[in-house]
Amino acid sequence: MSEPVVLAEPEWRAREDAHVARMRKWTVPHAERRSRGEKHPVLDFLFTYYSHRPSHVERWQPGFGVVLAGEAAKRFLERRGYLETEDGVTVDPAGFTPARERTARFVSSLLAATASRPARLNCFGLHEWAMVYRQPHDEVRHAQLPLRLGGPGTDEVVESLEVRCGHFDAFRFFTPEAVPRNTLSPARETQLEFEQPGCLHANMDLFKWACKLGPFVPAELLGDCFELAADIRELDMRASPYDLSPLGYPAVPIETPAGRAEYARAQGAFARRAAPLRARLIECSDTLLSGCTVAGRLCDN
């Protein structure tokens, strides 16, 4: 097991302040909207679907193998999963429970399988259209928003284009009428076989996997994944059938050849941006699986 990195108090506090300031770009407006009882069809997704509380998004953590020096580091002992050593405060490897180990193995396997495939850029965001296909408007997820093409026009787009969604957590929200129109049949059991690096939702999910690994992931990596998810979510909804122009989001009209080309270009850019984050999460998972296991055995002895 490699020697831990010791951060002096001024260094880690500067990193903590930078992370908090960065995340408050999203968390503060979200809290203000909630206090007014307002919903945001684009940005709420980052805190509801992924269910990582804004306070946790803001919270800085050093990650595994880092020791925080200085008196102020003792406040981390108020959180679960930290311990004090002779050099300072660090994440407790004993917190890498068997359940966390299973999560890390799954994350490493899923992300490695995803990274091994070429990016497919021809789905054109039709998953959002399939979620409202032939559905009464008062039953759609964002019923407060009009559909750009109306109900019949939306249905016509789904019927005129090939639906190729391989992400199970998007596919499971398809309307019953849209399910047989999908050329793929993703399932939870076959998730490792279907996910590919061009998928917007697979790339947004990097934030979810960073959260699942808990305090063992450095906050800066979690922040990078969150920022990527926030940017992708904008494209996801701009390419959706909803009219978001009153909120300042111009449509990416995937019902047209020009709109599909614009979507594919943006999708490719996000795939390139996600690749190094995916690699860092794989490295983090593999480090945990080796380092935490060794540390846990040493503690047991």
Side-chain angles (χ1 to χ4, degrees), residues 79 96 159 202 240 247 273 293:
R79 304 182 190 175
F96 193 66
E159 292 164 359
S240 77
L247 294 174
R273 185 172 154 191
T293 302

Side-chain angles (χ1 to χ4, degrees), residues 2-274:
S2 60
E3 290 296 318
V5 175
V6 179
L7 298 181
E9 185 172 323
E11 181 179 357
W12 67 256
R13 292 190 75 155
R15 285 176 54 179
E16 181 179 44
D17 290 345
H19 174 75
V20 172
R22 179 190 187 188
M23 294 296 99
R24 283 183 174 172
K25 172 184 174 182
W26 291 279
T27 59
V28 170
H30 178 73
E32 291 173 346
R33 287 192 301 271
R34 285 192 63 185
S35 70
R36 297 189 298 265
E38 295 178 6
K39 293 184 178 181
H40 196 292
V42 179
L43 300 178
D44 283 352
F45 179 85
L46 301 168
F47 301 104
T48 54
Y49 178 79
Y50 287 116
S51 65
H52 201 56
R53 294 200 300 269
S55 60
H56 288 179
V57 172
E58 286 186 12
R59 188 169 62 187
W60 184 79
Q61 56 201 35
F64 176 66
V66 177
V67 177
L68 306 179
E71 188 65 24
K74 291 185 179 180
R75 59 181 162 84
F76 284 81
L77 298 173
E78 298 171 5
R79 304 182 190 175
R80 292 180 60 185
Y82 287 82
L83 61 81
E84 189 170 13
T85 70
E86 61 182 15
D87 295 317
V89 175
T90 188
V91 174
D92 187 355
F96 193 66
T97 60
R100 278 264 169 79
E101 181 179 353
R102 289 191 295 273
T103 297
R105 291 192 187 282
F106 176 77
V107 169
S108 180
S109 298
L110 176 65
L111 299 189
T114 303
S116 72
R117 302 184 179 105
R120 182 166 53 81
L121 308 176
N122 60 355
C123 67
F124 307 126
L126 281 166
H127 56 277
E128 287 288 343
W129 299 68
M131 293 177 192
V132 301
Y133 179 65
R134 293 192 177 181
Q135 193 170 46
H137 188 68
D138 59 356
E139 295 180 13
V140 304
R141 182 175 303 176
H142 302 293
Q144 76 275 24
L145 298 173
L147 298 175
R148 290 192 296 105
L149 306 180
T154 299
D155 295 345
E156 184 179 346
V157 170
V158 176
E159 292 164 359
S160 65
L161 298 173
E162 187 176 44
V163 183
R164 311 180 187 89
C165 181
H167 192 276
F168 175 71
D169 282 316
F171 177 64
R172 67 192 178 99
F173 290 108
F174 281 24
T175 64
E177 294 83 1
V179 167
R181 292 191 166 275
N182 198 24
T183 59
L184 304 174
S185 299
R188 183 68 70 204
E189 298 75 21
T190 57
Q191 191 171 1
L192 269 68
E193 300 172 27
F194 277 92
E195 293 205 4
Q196 53 90 16
C199 173
L200 292 192
H201 278 264
N203 292 330
M204 280 194 284
D205 281 350
L206 295 178
F207 170 60
K208 174 173 71 174
W209 303 127
C211 293
K212 291 284 188 182
L213 295 174
F216 299 95
V217 170
E220 289 83 0
L221 176 53
L222 186 145
D224 288 344
C225 293
F226 181 90
E227 193 167 62
L228 175 67
D231 292 344
I232 291 176
R233 176 61 176 171
E234 287 194 20
L235 175 64
D236 194 35
M237 290 301 287
R238 288 177 59 210
S240 77
Y242 299 105
D243 182 5
L244 293 161
S245 57
L247 294 174
Y249 296 100
V252 177
I254 58 94
E255 67 273 14
T256 69
R260 291 193 290 276
E262 180 183 357
Y263 183 91
R265 285 193 298 270
Q267 191 178 22
F270 283 130
R272 292 187 292 274
R273 185 172 154 191

